Amino acid sequence: MSKVEEKLAELGLTLPPVAAPVAAYVPALRTGEFVFTSGQLPMVGGKLPSTGKVGAEVTPEEAKQLAQTCALNALAAVKSVIGDLDLIERVVKVVGFVASAPDFTGQPAVINGASELLGQVLGEAGVHARSAVGVTVLPLDAPVEVELQVRIKTDA
């Protein structure tokens, strides 16, 4: 088990299987020393645990937990192309999308669910640049979607 997966276990979390794409794309792609994930929905066992807009059908607290699930799914996608999460040198960028009720403005706090998890399991390598964007709707009516860009060790 990698050190990253040991950290996840200490938090009571496990890396899920890679979420199946819902359209024509791959979950993650490596190019040189970088891995880019596709947007990851908060799928658990092939299903969304909740749907709707944050600030309406979904509370900000629930959405923050869903963003953490998105980050777990993104880490699983990264592992699928590099084999070992300990090869992550740095999370370079996180982009988070929040399906928001018209008056909801707490997108950064929601995407903290992903950012905080990455910091907890990767330490300094998990510190990243980020965007947190409010949108009208996401695929399958998901409340949150997260994508990662990571740099891997060059000898990998």
Side-chain angles (χ1 to χ4, degrees), residues 1-13 117 119-123:
M1 182 182 296
S2 73
K3 290 179 184 176
V4 173
E5 290 178 272
E6 288 174 7
K7 286 277 193 182
L8 286 170
E10 289 172 16
L11 297 170
L13 302 169
L117 176 72
Q120 288 175 311
V121 300
L122 294 165

Side-chain angles (χ1 to χ4, degrees), residues 52-63 98-107 110 143:
K53 309 295 179 277
V54 180
E57 300 87 3
V58 179
T59 68
E61 295 77 18
E62 291 169 317
V98 181
S100 303
D103 60 345
F104 182 72
T105 60
Q107 292 84 6
V110 169

Side-chain angles (χ1 to χ4, degrees), residues 2 18 29 65 67 79 92-93 131 139 144:
S2 73
V18 178
L29 182 68
Q65 284 300 117
K79 182 179 178 183
V92 178
K93 178 99 187 242
S131 298
V144 183

